Amino acid sequence: MILTVTLNTALDITYRVRSLRPHASHRVSDVTERPGGKGVNVARVLAALGHEVTVTGFAGGGTGRAVRDRLAGTPGVTDALVPVAGATRRTIAVVDDLSGDTTQLNEPGPQIAPPEWNAFLDRYEQLLPAASAVALCGSLPPGVPVGAYAGLVRTARAHGVPVLLDTSGEPLRRGVAARPDIIKPNAGELAELTGSHEPLRATRDARRRGAHAVVASLGAQGLLAVTPEGHWRATPPALLHGNPTGAGDSAVAALLAGLVEHRPWPDRLTHAVALSAATVRAPAAGEFDRATYEELLGRVAVAGVVGVA
Amino acid sequence: MILTVTLNTALDITYRVRSLRPHASHRVSDVTERPGGKGVNVARVLAALGHEVTVTGFAGGGTGRAVRDRLAGTPGVTDALVPVAGATRRTIAVVDDLSGDTTQLNEPGPQIAPPEWNAFLDRYEQLLPAASAVALCGSLPPGVPVGAYAGLVRTARAHGVPVLLDTSGEPLRRGVAARPDIIKPNAGELAELTGSHEPLRATRDARRRGAHAVVASLGAQGLLAVTPEGHWRATPPALLHGNPTGAGDSAVAALLAGLVEHRPWPDRLTHAVALSAATVRAPAAGEFDRATYEELLGRVAVAGVVGVA
């Protein structure tokens, strides 16, 4: 199975309103809820692609119960979340009917107590031997040490399990130094890590900091990958309109699938770009459109990049 | 005990953000949750005033559990909510740190099935014999007949229990015709009911439609009461700044307290205005400031109104 870690799981709530106006009162016409947090999203996509996935991290409170109830109804996903006293955070996406634009409200995560963190570490060590790959995804809730991902990367490597890290800020900086197999920063995360806004230079620099492979997601311009096997740019066939929520998580899912299937890098990148694009085009945030995905697989351009040291 | 009915209970969530901007992403710095819906708010205020209160209506889903868990921790309040399959709605108040202004997002209520409505009617009939007064408060969730309050008013009157109705629109129009003891519309609800924007004329007209007493809440101008015993205007000592959320519910609580204590109308109105004002001035929405309440009791002006037929 593939293991995804989501320390800051979420109950993702989407509201539809006519048009959001500050300081006014709004009737919500439609409410949808689903389990969220980057690693949970990655797991859902992997399961839809036919992989067996185990989800770990934390869940607590009524919102945590809602997350777990919904995970239990997701075929291919096994729930190995660790219960905590605090409540799993909510995220609220308010979508305007008129413009289709989204306003996002993100609650802070629950405070994690030291015994809860230790319970997670035990669970993680128990799960690793059965994992073909592990993805460490998203932000850290309060109480989790800032070097958490660095430790989790080292533990995975000690078990010989390849590890992908998808986070930002100081947890990314420290995690990279522990030598993960793959990191997947977006342009902003990459610039924050390296100080450079030039993607090729920044991607190369991120690799020097410790990551074996760096796959930078550059929005509509696709992916830039710097790996031990070579350097590539993979681009979608055209500018895509839609909701980019979850596109990065879909790219992570495709990279993990390619990793466990031992596919060559250009093939992994093709799948990652096609799956991202199919997520942007899907009507619901974070879902992917399977027909679009399969159609795009033949139309993604992958080109070698020269001049990378 | 005093019985309050909240057919559309809510989990009231308050978020603090720096400043809400449409189509941007926001970190919520603080989250508070409390049980809501008008009748639940009325019950909390009555309990704080030392009354025994029973709360009925509907609760369901994880949000309903959160409401009931919190009610269980409120001294003086007894939970007699009827479980339903649908989830209790959330309301989200987003408060800007910079301006103090609030943006409101209100979910629709759960669909109430006919057997659930019948279960509520049974519960209501069981509770009435022990009630010294009943308050019917707020909107109707989907599935509840629009004439619901009219029926509940008639049942209360058949049991000899005085009944206060605080709702709006068609449920108010039909409920008034069933001859409740008191209605407490605000200026907008009164204008919608009667077609008149002139408060004195509209209040008199509302009485003609069936209410024994009409107490119109006119915001900063206080209350206008047209009752069988006389007609009064009760005004706070000065324009009050603060959060008006819950001020109307506090007025309802004071009117019920005055009713069960058989206090004369001018005294009831004094308490209602002072309690409303103390709610506007409290730092948390829907709470009241006890010192302000007691201080204002001596400073509310109540004057007889002449020229009301």
Side-chain angles (χ1 to χ4, degrees):
Chain A
M1 58 83 174
I2 298 173
L3 179 63
T4 76
V5 172
T6 317
L7 297 173
N8 215 358
T9 53
L11 181 63
D12 286 342
I13 300 169
T14 302
Y15 285 166
R16 293 201 77 92
V17 301
R18 208 175 125 72
S19 173
L20 184 70
R21 287 176 305 125
H23 317 148
S25 189
H26 305 77
R27 271 172 207 274
V28 175
S29 60
D30 188 63
V31 182
T32 57
E33 292 185 8
R34 54 163 214 183
K38 279 174 183 287
V40 171
N41 298 341
V42 169
R44 185 168 38 231
V45 173
L46 281 168
L49 293 175
H51 291 269
E52 287 296 319
V53 198
T54 297
V55 168
T56 190
F58 298 111
T63 41
R65 251 193 316 262
V67 164
R68 303 188 79 162
D69 286 352
R70 279 167 179 75
L71 281 181
T74 309
V77 175
T78 301
D79 173 359
L81 293 165
V82 173
V84 288
T88 294
R89 70 198 167 109
R90 283 170 289 230
T91 75
I92 307 221
V94 185
V95 181
D96 283 15
D97 271 339
L98 294 179
S99 67
D101 288 321
T102 297
T103 308
Q104 190 74 32
L105 295 158
N106 297 323
E107 294 187 9
Q111 183 74 33
I112 305 300
E116 292 169 338
W117 175 239
N118 289 331
F120 167 76
L121 291 175
D122 288 348
R123 180 69 58 90
Y124 182 66
E125 290 240 30
Q126 287 159 15
L127 292 165
L128 274 176
S132 54
V134 59
L136 308 173
C137 301
S139 59
L140 303 178
V144 169
V146 70
Y149 282 137
L152 299 181
V153 167
R154 278 189 286 265
T155 307
R157 289 174 53 78
H159 281 78
V161 180
V163 55
L164 183 152
L165 175 62
D166 184 16
T167 186
S168 59
E170 189 60 21
L172 173 60
R173 183 183 308 276
R174 301 212 188 184
V176 166
R179 306 201 157 270
D181 293 271
I182 307 174
I183 64 171
K184 194 224 58 62
N186 62 30
E189 290 158 354
L190 195 59
E192 196 190 357
L193 176 67
T194 64
S196 167
H197 287 272
E198 202 287 294
L200 194 53
R201 177 190 303 265
T203 304
R204 200 171 49 185
D205 180 51
R207 237 197 115 208
R208 259 203 311 268
R209 287 167 185 266
H212 289 267
V214 179
V215 182
S217 56
L218 307 174
Q221 293 157 63
L223 299 175
L224 173 63
V226 176
T227 82
E229 289 87 55
H231 314 137
W232 294 274
R233 224 179 240 288
T235 45
L239 194 64
L240 293 167
H241 295 284
N243 189 335
T245 305
D249 301 331
S250 290
V252 168
L255 293 175
L256 285 166
L259 175 70
V260 302
E261 291 165 3
H262 306 289
R263 286 201 230 113
W265 269 102
D267 192 34
R268 298 185 197 180
L269 297 172
T270 298
H271 280 81
V273 168
L275 198 55
S276 275
T279 303
V280 172
R281 279 218 202 142
E287 308 294 321
F288 71 92
D289 185 85
R290 194 173 292 269
T292 304
Y293 171 47
E294 285 167 9
E295 187 253 325
L296 284 175
L297 278 177
R299 296 175 58 214
V300 173
V302 181
V305 176
V306 290
V308 185
Chain B
M1 56 84 176
I2 297 172
L3 178 63
T4 75
V5 172
T6 316
L7 297 174
N8 215 356
T9 53
L11 180 63
D12 286 341
I13 300 169
T14 303
Y15 285 165
R16 293 201 78 90
V17 299
R18 209 175 125 74
S19 174
L20 184 69
R21 288 177 303 124
H23 317 149
S25 189
H26 305 77
R27 271 171 206 274
V28 175
S29 60
D30 188 64
V31 182
T32 58
E33 291 186 9
R34 53 165 217 182
K38 279 174 183 286
V40 171
N41 299 339
V42 169
R44 185 167 41 232
V45 173
L46 281 168
L49 293 174
H51 291 269
E52 287 295 319
V53 198
T54 296
V55 169
T56 190
F58 298 111
T63 42
R65 251 193 316 262
V67 164
R68 303 188 80 162
D69 286 351
R70 280 168 177 75
L71 281 180
T74 309
V77 175
T78 300
D79 172 359
L81 293 166
V82 174
V84 287
T88 294
R89 70 197 167 113
R90 283 170 289 231
T91 76
I92 307 224
V94 184
V95 181
D96 283 14
D97 271 337
L98 294 179
S99 66
D101 288 321
T102 297
T103 308
Q104 191 74 34
L105 294 159
N106 298 321
E107 294 187 8
Q111 182 76 32
I112 305 300
E116 293 169 337
W117 175 238
N118 290 331
F120 167 78
L121 291 175
D122 289 348
R123 179 70 58 88
Y124 182 67
E125 290 240 31
Q126 286 158 16
L127 293 165
L128 274 176
S132 54
V134 59
L136 309 173
C137 302
S139 60
L140 302 179
V144 169
V146 70
Y149 282 137
L152 299 180
V153 167
R154 278 189 285 266
T155 307
R157 289 173 54 77
H159 282 77
V161 180
V163 55
L164 183 152
L165 175 63
D166 184 16
T167 187
S168 60
E170 189 61 22
L172 173 60
R173 183 183 308 276
R174 300 211 188 183
V176 165
R179 305 199 157 272
D181 293 270
I182 307 174
I183 63 170
K184 193 223 60 63
N186 62 28
E189 290 159 355
L190 195 58
E192 197 191 356
L193 176 66
T194 65
S196 168
H197 287 272
E198 201 286 295
L200 193 52
R201 178 191 302 265
T203 304
R204 198 171 52 184
D205 180 51
R207 238 196 115 210
R208 260 203 311 267
R209 287 166 186 268
H212 288 267
V214 179
V215 181
S217 56
L218 306 175
Q221 293 158 65
L223 299 175
L224 173 63
V226 175
T227 82
E229 288 88 53
H231 315 138
W232 294 274
R233 224 179 240 287
T235 44
L239 194 64
L240 293 167
H241 295 282
N243 188 336
T245 305
D249 301 332
S250 289
V252 167
L255 293 173
L256 285 167
L259 174 71
V260 301
E261 290 164 5
H262 305 291
R263 287 203 228 111
W265 268 102
D267 192 33
R268 297 185 196 181
L269 299 171
T270 298
H271 279 80
V273 168
L275 198 56
S276 274
T279 302
V280 171
R281 281 220 203 139
E287 309 295 320
F288 71 92
D289 184 83
R290 195 173 291 267
T292 304
Y293 172 46
E294 285 167 9
E295 188 253 326
L296 284 174
L297 279 176
R299 296 175 59 213
V300 174
V302 181
V305 175
V306 291
V308 185

